[in-house]
Amino acid sequence: RGAPGRPRARLLLLDTAPLNCGLLATILGHFDYTLTVVNDAATAAAASGPFDLLLCDYDPLDAPPGGFLAPLLRAHAALPLIVLRPDAGQGITPLLAHHPAPVRLLAHPLDPPALIEAVEACLAAAGGAVSKA
């Protein structure tokens, strides 16, 4: 856990069903992560942070991967990325192969310890620095 009153890292969550992000916010908040939630790729691409990591709860039924993730990946190319998805990543793996920062794929249903491990691993692989406000 981080120092009291100071977030460990600032995370941007793109979730097209933001009412479902309560579990993510609870888990990440318990570990002193700050979570900003947006519900579409355009808003996520325009988000100005500072952020340390991107989370994307991707469902292929919501949008094709290029239209859903591409604007976010272009706008925040330097940030590590975790994609939560209901399948084995079909359709998004080629798009993620070109993301220059660390990438992790997690499947639903969400496993809290796996989420925290993925967040910590991505932050560590990216240098582990927390943005300064």
Side-chain angles (χ1 to χ4, degrees):
R1 294 182 60 113
R6 180 183 168 144
R8 290 176 72 180
R10 295 177 182 133
L11 314 179
L12 175 63
L13 169 63
L14 170 56
D15 189 344
T16 58
L19 295 178
N20 297 331
C21 73
L23 177 60
L24 285 171
T26 299
I27 294 166
L28 295 165
H30 179 73
F31 286 87
D32 297 326
Y33 292 108
T34 300
L35 187 65
T36 299
V37 180
V38 296
N39 62 2
D40 62 65
T43 304
S48 60
F51 301 108
D52 302 296
L53 181 121
L54 302 174
L55 284 169
C56 179
D57 197 346
Y58 173 71
D59 187 335
L61 299 176
D62 292 334
F68 187 77
L69 289 174
L72 177 68
L73 297 179
R74 280 191 302 272
H76 301 289
L79 295 179
L81 170 69
I82 297 173
V83 179
L84 305 168
R85 81 272 180 243
D87 60 24
Q90 291 92 351
I92 63 170
T93 304
L95 181 63
L96 299 178
H98 302 291
H99 189 64
V103 175
R104 296 285 294 261
L105 298 175
L106 295 177
H108 285 292
L110 181 63
D111 177 45
L115 173 65
I116 297 303
E117 185 276 329
V119 168
E120 291 174 355
C122 278
L123 289 170
V130 175
S131 294
K132 305 295 184 236

